[in-house]
């Protein structure tokens, strides 16, 4: 990387009064709206609130993306710590590389009633400043020429402009926006999710809400969050003035607790009730949280009464959310309930091709049968597939070698763990099922039947001790949480008779 050079930039009163006609700014609000949720995803909420929530988009030129900060301190921090991240995100969104310009925004008094002074087409006066440098205390019309030294690739400005608060809650609360990377176009459809996608697209595009609420349920990593965000993005695409609030249930709970602590529940309610659509992810996390359930119940009722859309995801159907209050369960069961099953082989292959295409891995560089090998063994959820896709894309990007079947097998061997005798987890599952005369795939099913429980615990124990698999990996194989795996392995470890038998 080349070292930054310092350039001397001269600024005169004549420079300040001359509009730049060769590099005119255009609005950048829409791009900024897409940047914000990516910042929330990349950093913690506390970091976002501290450094990014008060920034404003200030337009863009062919080379520079301008952002407004409320003071010198924040502008300094953004320039020193976050310009590379912002530039990278903008490149991901636009496909182009931009410099980052930070301007200091100052609220001004209302403009005078002099028509000559109210020309909104006149560009703001801008002084280019270096970091940690204060402007010389001279009037703007001073004929004295002042020189500042700044890094060559940084534009750091101070601007005076009139600020008006945006009326759209999505702009004032950018962390409520759905993730723009999840759309219906990049959702891979299969027979396991076909109806759920159709229902989601229907409520997103319908002018008259027929199905309210829409409840989407399914296991981990099957696409519930993707569809939920896709609904929000589709609504905003068709109705830019609409207010859409997306929130995981945990975030909803934390914000409620904060509002109770600060005695500002009215602001919390306005945020989630004055919307056109509320998208709540993983409602099962509200179980046993009575105060949060009560708040959501009233939020839900207000939105339904105002004919506003409510979409909810869960890891199980509403009737199995037994630790929700009966009245909330009843409300959820009154809408349209759709499920997403684990992706079958065909869908998993489609997901792999879609993800690799998005990461610019050419299909002709993938050996026939390679993706089939991967899709055959990774059955639990799409998040695991994404992890493999990232490794494959990195391998191709670095080596420029084709993706072969043998390479995929080596990845699977690293992931699942194999011994010198080539014993695999599928061998263990098959042998345990045969020993206990169980149907094929009984141990990886959702069944809690007593005649399946012990064999499943034994199979988990063997995967841990014979293959040295991690608890999360074993959990992904059997469709259980890693905490459940730990518990089941411990049960077998404490039973000496079973261990001796094994």
């Amino acid at each position: 990387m080349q070292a930054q050079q310092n350039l001397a930039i001269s600024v005169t009163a004549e420079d300040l009064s001359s509009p730049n006609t060769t590099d005119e700014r255009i609005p950048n609000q829409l791009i900024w709206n897409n940047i914000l949720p990516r910042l929330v995803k990349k950093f913690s909420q506390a970091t976002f609130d501290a450094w990014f929530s008060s920034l404003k988009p200030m337009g863009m030129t062919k080379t520079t993306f301008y952002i407004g900060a409320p003071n010198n301190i924040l502008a300094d921090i953004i320039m020193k710590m976050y310009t590379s991240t912002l530039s990278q995100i903008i490149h991901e969104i636009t496909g182009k590389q931009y410099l980052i310009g930070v301007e200091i925004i100052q609220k001004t008094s209302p403009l005078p009633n002099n028509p000559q002074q109210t020309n909104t087409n006149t560009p703001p006066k801008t002084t280019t400043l270096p970091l940690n440098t204060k402007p010389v205390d001279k009037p703007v019309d001073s004929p004295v020429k002042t020189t500042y030294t700044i890094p060559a690739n940084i534009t750091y400005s101070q601007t005076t402009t009139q600020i008006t608060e945006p009326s759209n809650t999505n702009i004032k609360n950018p962390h409520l926006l759905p993730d723009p990377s999840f759309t219906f176009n990049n959702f891979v459809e299969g027979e396991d999710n076909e109806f759920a996608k159709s229902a989601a697209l229907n409520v997103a595009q319908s002018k008259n809400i027929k199905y309210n609420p829409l409840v989407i349920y399914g296991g981990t990593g099957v696409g519930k969050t993707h569809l939920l965000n896709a609904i929000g993005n589709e609504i905003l695409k068709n109705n830019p003035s609409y207010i859409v609030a997306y929130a995981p249930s945990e975030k909803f709970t934390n914000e409620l607790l904060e509002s109770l602590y600060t005695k500002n529940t009215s602001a919390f309610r306005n945020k989630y009730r004055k919307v056109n659509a509320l998208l709540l992810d993983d409602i099962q996390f509200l179980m046993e949280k009575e105060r949060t359930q009560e708040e959501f119940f009233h939020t839900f009722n207000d939105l339904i009464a105002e004919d506003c859309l409510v979409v909810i995801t869960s890891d199980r159907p509403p009737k199995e959310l037994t630790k929700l209050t009966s009245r909330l369960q009843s409300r959820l069961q009154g809408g349209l309930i759709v499920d997403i099953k684990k992706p079958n082989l065909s869908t998993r292959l489609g997901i792999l091709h879609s993800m690799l295409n998005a990461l610019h891995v050419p299909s002709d560089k993938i050996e026939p049968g390679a993706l089939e090998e991967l899709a055959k063994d990774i059955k639990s959820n799409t998040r695991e597939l994404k992890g493999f896709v990232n490794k494959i894309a990195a391998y191709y990007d670095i080596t420029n070698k084709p993706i072969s079947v043998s390479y995929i097998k080596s990845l699977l061997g690293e992931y699942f763990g194999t011994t010198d005798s080539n014993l695999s987890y599928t061998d263990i599952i098959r042998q345990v099922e045969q020993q206990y005369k169980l149907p094929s795939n009984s141990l990886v099913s959702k069944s809690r039947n007593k005649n399946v429980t012990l064999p499943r615990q034994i199979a988990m124990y063997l995967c841990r001790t014979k293959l040295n698999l991690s608890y999360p990996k074993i959990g992904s194989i059997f469709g259980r949480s890693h905490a459940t795996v730990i518990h089941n392995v411990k049960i077998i470890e404490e039973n000496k008779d079973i261990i001796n038998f094994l």
Side-chain angles (χ1 to χ4, degrees):
M1 185 179 293
Q2 293 181 339
Q4 290 182 355
Q5 297 178 342
N6 286 339
L7 300 179
I9 297 184
S10 300
V11 182
T12 66
E14 182 179 355
D15 294 330
L16 291 174
S17 61
S18 301
N20 186 351
T21 57
T22 61
D23 207 9
E24 187 176 358
R25 293 191 194 185
I26 59 174
N28 59 349
Q29 180 70 64
L30 289 177
I31 296 176
W32 185 245
N33 288 349
N34 280 274
I35 292 171
L36 294 173
R38 295 178 187 232
L39 290 171
V40 175
K41 191 173 182 179
K42 186 173 183 65
F43 301 104
S44 67
Q45 186 65 50
T47 300
F48 178 87
D49 291 340
W51 308 129
F52 301 108
S53 61
S54 59
L55 300 179
K56 307 288 182 184
M58 301 299 292
M60 61 192 292
T61 65
K62 292 181 179 179
T63 60
T64 307
F65 190 100
Y66 291 94
I67 301 167
N71 54 60
N72 279 292
I73 295 174
L74 181 57
D76 199 351
I77 290 170
I78 295 298
M79 290 301 296
K80 287 182 177 179
M81 298 176 61
Y82 296 111
T83 50
S84 61
T85 298
L86 287 166
S87 181
Q88 180 184 351
I89 292 175
I90 294 169
H91 181 262
E92 291 172 358
I93 294 171
T94 65
K96 297 181 180 179
Q97 199 70 46
Y98 285 89
L99 299 176
I100 302 298
V102 180
E103 301 176 338
I104 301 166
I105 308 171
Q106 298 175 342
K107 291 187 178 181
T108 62
S109 56
L111 295 174
N113 292 325
N114 186 340
Q116 295 180 349
Q117 296 179 332
T118 57
N119 183 4
T120 58
N121 294 323
T122 302
K125 295 181 178 181
T126 303
T127 306
T128 305
L129 299 175
L131 295 175
N132 301 321
T133 303
K134 295 183 179 179
V136 177
D137 188 17
K138 293 183 180 294
V140 172
D141 58 356
S142 168
V144 178
K145 190 173 184 178
T146 306
T147 301
Y148 302 102
T149 302
I150 67 172
N153 67 336
I154 294 180
T155 303
Y156 183 59
S157 311
Q158 180 166 339
T159 301
T160 301
T161 186
Q162 188 173 9
I163 300 297
T164 56
E165 282 295 320
S167 58
N168 192 318
T169 299
N170 285 326
I171 299 174
K172 290 195 289 185
N173 301 306
H175 54 285
L176 294 177
L177 284 167
D179 186 333
S181 66
F182 291 127
T183 67
F184 286 111
N185 288 336
N186 61 20
F187 183 83
V188 178
E189 185 175 337
E191 61 182 22
D192 36 67
N193 59 31
E194 183 179 15
F195 181 56
K197 181 188 176 182
S198 297
L201 191 59
N202 181 281
V203 299
Q205 295 180 339
S206 179
K207 294 293 183 182
N208 301 313
I209 302 174
K210 297 179 181 178
Y211 312 112
N212 208 11
L214 173 64
V215 179
I216 305 171
Y217 75 90
T220 301
V222 295
K224 303 187 300 296
T225 298
H226 188 138
L227 278 185
L228 194 62
N229 281 276
I231 290 170
N233 288 317
E234 185 72 15
I235 291 172
L236 290 174
K237 183 181 78 173
N238 298 327
N239 307 279
S241 63
Y242 273 28
I243 300 170
V244 175
Y246 164 82
S249 293
E250 186 177 2
K251 178 180 180 60
F252 184 89
T253 301
N254 291 339
E255 289 191 359
L256 173 61
L257 294 175
E258 183 181 356
S259 71
L260 293 171
Y261 179 77
T262 58
K263 298 181 180 179
N264 194 20
T265 54
S266 59
F268 171 84
R269 287 167 182 163
N270 287 338
K271 180 187 294 186
Y272 286 102
R273 298 187 190 186
K274 293 187 176 181
V275 299
N276 297 96
L278 174 61
L279 315 173
L280 191 75
D281 209 357
D282 290 325
I283 196 173
Q284 70 271 10
F285 289 117
L286 298 190
M287 293 194 294
E288 297 185 329
K289 297 180 175 70
E290 293 183 4
R291 180 65 182 84
T292 310
Q293 288 186 47
E294 180 183 356
E295 185 65 36
F296 177 71
F297 176 79
H298 293 298
T299 299
F300 179 96
N301 284 344
D302 282 1
L303 292 173
I304 296 295
E306 293 295 326
D307 202 26
C308 299
L309 178 65
V310 178
V311 185
I312 294 162
T313 69
S314 171
D315 66 349
R316 68 204 77 174
K319 66 180 181 180
E320 294 182 14
L321 295 168
T322 54
K323 294 180 181 178
L324 289 182
T325 60
S326 58
R327 62 179 184 174
L328 184 52
Q329 266 190 291
S330 176
R331 292 292 192 279
L332 298 182
Q333 293 184 71
L336 176 62
I337 303 170
V338 297
D339 71 319
I340 303 180
K341 300 178 179 66
K342 287 184 179 180
N344 60 23
L345 179 61
S346 175
T347 304
R348 294 198 298 275
L349 277 171
I351 291 169
L352 287 171
H353 280 290
S354 176
M355 288 181 175
L356 288 169
N357 181 63
L359 293 176
H360 310 293
V361 178
S363 57
D364 61 354
K365 296 294 184 180
I366 303 172
E367 187 176 297
L371 296 187
E372 285 80 357
E373 188 73 26
L374 181 56
K376 181 180 66 177
D377 278 0
I378 306 299
K379 302 176 181 179
S380 56
N381 62 66
T382 57
R383 293 197 184 109
E384 283 190 311
L385 291 176
K386 187 174 183 180
F388 278 96
V389 164
N390 289 335
K391 284 187 177 181
I392 293 169
Y395 172 81
Y396 173 75
D397 190 47
I398 293 169
T399 68
N400 202 32
K401 292 181 179 179
I403 310 303
S404 64
V405 174
S406 61
Y407 171 68
I408 295 297
K409 285 184 175 180
S410 70
L411 284 183
L412 292 169
E414 291 172 7
Y415 182 74
F416 290 116
T418 56
T419 65
D420 293 336
S421 61
N422 291 322
L423 179 69
S424 69
Y425 78 93
T426 53
D427 296 326
I428 290 175
I429 291 173
R430 184 177 64 254
Q431 290 178 28
V432 172
E433 287 175 341
Q434 289 175 354
Q435 179 68 33
Y436 284 89
K437 297 180 173 55
L438 295 173
S440 179
N441 293 325
S442 296
L443 301 187
V444 294
S445 70
K446 292 183 178 180
S447 172
R448 301 191 181 201
N449 196 303
K450 289 182 179 180
N451 68 334
V452 174
T453 301
L454 178 59
R456 182 186 290 128
Q457 291 171 342
I458 291 173
M460 289 181 177
Y461 171 82
L462 291 173
C463 285
R464 178 65 178 168
T465 56
K466 299 295 184 182
L467 303 180
N468 198 30
L469 298 185
S470 68
Y471 291 119
K473 286 183 181 179
I474 297 172
S476 70
I477 293 169
F478 290 90
R480 301 293 190 274
S481 70
H482 76 281
T484 300
V485 176
I486 292 171
H487 174 72
N488 287 342
V489 170
K490 188 176 181 181
I491 288 174
I492 303 302
E493 287 176 339
E494 293 175 350
N495 194 320
K496 294 182 180 180
D497 290 336
I498 293 179
I499 292 177
N500 292 334
F501 172 76
L502 296 175

